[in-house]
Amino acid sequence: MAENRICNLLGIEYPIFQGGMAWVADASLAAAVSQAGGLGLISSVNAGTEAVRNEIRKCRELTDKPFGVNIMLQAPNADEIAAMVVEEGVKILTTGAGSPVRYMQMWKDAGIKVIPVVASVALALKMEAAGADAVVAEGAESGGHVGELHTMALVPQVVDALNIPVIAAGGICDGRGAAAAFMLGAEAVQVGTRFLAAEECNVHEVYKEKVIKATDISTIVTGKSLGHPVRSLKTPFSKTFARMESDPSVSKDEILAFGSGALRKAVQEGASDGSYMAGECAGMVKKIEPAQDIVEDIILGAYRIIESYCNDTM
Ligand code: TUI
């Protein structure tokens, strides 16, 4: 492939990020993806700020390749995490579920490459003006916290509005999806759901099984009534959550209490009352395999598609 601005900016071999999935994305997964030539990301949502610091240190022991940290901006310890990553000399940050403007100066002064996840053109423009190095445009096919627009419409509109490079996310889990994202003008892709089934991913076996058994219609978005829509696998838990949301006799506090801690319980315990966050492409994830195979299948698959398209049409 021709020169790629994301690979040049971050010093990575392949233009693919592993999503910084809350409670999931630890040093083991991030290091495996980085070792394979992509960008591994550690989630800031873990058992507190010191636990995240430990994951950063572990990751450095596992790989000398670039990796980053994803900062969940709505977390109560976001301020602490924002300062800790500077102390630890992290070089690459992505952010999610909000605007990171309040931290931008501190991070830029520390020489950090900052790549906010955005779900709209308006926020993307704000991020570029604030000094972001790139943005991840994440469509609502994604697992976890989602915006309103979907990848096919969001990515080209963000690409058209910005000068900085755009990474596409949401619904991408193989070479076809990555090739499509490049066609939309993205310069890299971010993949979450498929990495749930990576050998190096430490989610509970039950979580992996649920992803592998999923079909095209296995996910549901809940939490809209709370202002925090989340896509997860349909389970008795998520269906109950949805019913509570549509029942006027159930208060917001009751719904919040019902959902509290549910993602951690799914990731660590495979619990029946857990929240199994996953994207719409879960139905395309068919096996557990090394992160390196996933990275190569997606990127080399995309390159093959683009090459054959060029050969056939030029
Ligand atoms: O952040 C994510 N996905 C996440 S965070 C998460 S943690 C969690 N969530 C619920 C329960 C328990 C744990 C799980 N999944 N993706 C990045 C993302 N950011 N997607 C969409 C956005 C977004 C949406 C609106 C970013 C900014 C925004 O508006 C900000 C503003 O202030 O305008």
Side-chain angles (χ1 to χ4, degrees):
M1 283 278 274
E3 284 281 292
N4 179 289
R5 283 198 291 173
I6 293 293
C7 291
N8 292 345
L9 176 74
L10 305 178
I12 57 177
E13 191 181 348
Y14 296 133
I16 178 169
F17 292 12
Q18 157 247 316
M21 297 168 280
W23 286 105
V24 172
D26 61 4
S28 162
L29 181 60
V33 172
S34 289
Q35 273 299 108
L39 183 75
L41 287 162
I42 292 169
S43 172
S44 72
V45 182
N46 199 314
T49 306
E50 291 312 303
V52 181
R53 191 194 299 275
N54 284 340
E55 293 303 312
I56 293 167
R57 292 182 178 178
K58 248 193 260 174
C59 198
R60 283 226 172 83
E61 283 171 17
L62 294 169
T63 184
D64 54 7
K65 302 266 174 72
F67 68 91
V69 174
N70 172 253
I71 300 194
M72 165 31 172
L73 295 164
Q74 288 178 11
N77 64 339
D79 285 355
E80 235 174 62
I81 292 269
M84 180 275 289
V85 292
V86 174
E87 285 164 21
E88 290 299 313
V90 171
K91 294 279 174 272
I92 303 163
L93 292 176
T94 62
T95 64
S99 165
V101 159
R102 61 191 183 280
Y103 306 123
M104 212 66 160
Q105 193 61 50
M106 171 173 68
W107 290 340
K108 299 308 297 175
D109 287 350
I112 298 173
K113 303 280 186 263
V114 184
I115 308 180
V117 178
V118 300
S120 68
V121 168
L123 187 63
L125 283 167
K126 209 164 125 187
M127 294 300 99
E128 184 174 58
D133 294 280
V135 295
V136 177
E138 188 184 275
E141 296 93 328
S142 299
H145 181 59
V146 289
E148 290 192 359
L149 289 170
H150 291 75
T151 305
M152 193 82 171
L154 175 67
V155 171
Q157 294 188 73
V158 173
V159 167
D160 284 349
L162 303 192
N163 294 307
I164 55 176
V166 175
I167 299 102
I172 301 166
C173 76
D174 65 11
R176 295 170 299 178
F182 294 134
M183 294 293 166
L184 296 175
E187 293 178 60
V189 294
Q190 176 168 289
V191 173
T193 301
R194 189 159 171 198
F195 284 114
L196 287 169
E199 275 174 13
E200 298 87 347
C201 177
N202 287 318
V203 295
H204 196 280
E205 285 310 308
V206 167
Y207 207 135
K208 289 190 181 181
E209 271 166 35
K210 283 189 192 298
V211 170
I212 283 169
K213 284 194 183 139
T215 69
D216 57 337
I217 55 164
S218 289
T219 71
I220 182 173
V221 175
T222 56
K224 270 194 184 155
S225 67
L226 306 171
H228 192 87
V230 165
R231 183 181 298 284
S232 64
L233 294 175
K234 283 178 192 162
T235 59
F237 170 83
S238 59
K239 286 181 193 164
T240 303
F241 196 103
R243 264 197 306 277
M244 288 171 80
E245 278 192 287
S246 59
D247 181 345
S249 74
V250 181
S251 73
K252 276 193 177 181
D253 284 348
E254 282 173 273
I255 302 171
L256 276 170
F258 181 71
S260 171
L263 174 60
R264 189 204 61 75
K265 276 194 269 186
V267 171
Q268 296 185 340
E269 298 163 18
S272 59
D273 59 346
S275 169
Y276 292 81
M277 295 186 191
E280 286 182 346
C281 61
M284 295 161 76
V285 179
K286 293 286 168 239
K287 61 177 183 219
I288 294 171
E289 58 191 328
Q292 180 172 353
D293 292 5
I294 297 175
V295 166
E296 289 176 358
D297 178 61
I298 295 172
I299 291 300
L300 303 181
Y303 291 173
R304 269 195 298 275
I305 291 168
I306 294 165
E307 211 170 57
S308 70
Y309 180 80
C310 292
N311 290 340
D312 288 351
T313 58
M314 299 283 181

